Amino acid sequence: MSRGRRPYSSPVRGERARQTRQRVTEAATTLFLQDGYASTSLAAIANTAGVSVDTVYKTFGSKIGLLKEVLDVTIGGDDRPVPLLERAGPQALRAQTDQRAQVRMLAAGVTDQLERIRPLDDILRSAAAVDHEASALRQDIQVRQRRAAMQSVVGWIAARGPLRDDLTVTRAAQVVWTLTSPEVHLLMRDTGGWSQSSYRAWLEQAISDSILGTS
């Protein structure tokens, strides 16, 4: 009885595919920021990345699929397939035993992330006004994913001490979700003209005052 043929796997081919994916993602990031989502064609992205349009379609499926990849890489800081909350920063926050130190780490991490993601979120928000796929993507990222992440993080903080006025983890997470939103970052950094360090200090104080108990 003959054995089934093993699927062929080449480390060289896998690395080439990863490099191609990275080039396309980097090209898309540059062009989305430069020209906007609606005005950027997959042909332009392919040309900038030095690949065919067919390769872009085969790799990402669609333009919105490519935008999602761009956002995922920007949020995580790299293209490693590691869930955000399992990365070193969030796990260090989880292990920290002092609540106020946890909030300080949260404010610093969120500030760094928003500095990376906000320009792209501005583009996504504009696209969402006229494109239902972009609207669904932003809803998923900013409501479902980010709210779930804040629920987990506030749960880690609540495990180290009391929350303010018997605040539930769910209610506290909603407060933190609001304070850490791109919209608030836009108001403080762009409209208000605050520096990055001033925003980070404000965010730390606002979260502490809003959810932490007195002990």
Side-chain angles (χ1 to χ4, degrees), residues 177-193:
W177 174 72
T178 301
L179 291 172
T180 58
S181 69
E183 289 82 358
V184 171
H185 182 267
L186 170 66
L187 289 172
M188 304 297 281
R189 289 281 283 120
D190 291 27
T191 307

Side-chain angles (χ1 to χ4, degrees), residues 24-36:
V24 174
T25 302
E26 290 174 350
T29 301
T30 298
L31 292 177
F32 286 152
L33 289 173
Q34 176 181 294
D35 301 325

Side-chain angles (χ1 to χ4, degrees), residues 7 11 13 24 36 68 71 83 98 130 141 165 179 191 198 200 210:
R13 181 178 295 178
V24 174
K68 182 181 184 302
L71 290 164
D98 179 81
V130 296
I141 292 173
D165 299 329
L179 291 172
T191 307
S198 294
R200 183 178 63 248
S210 297

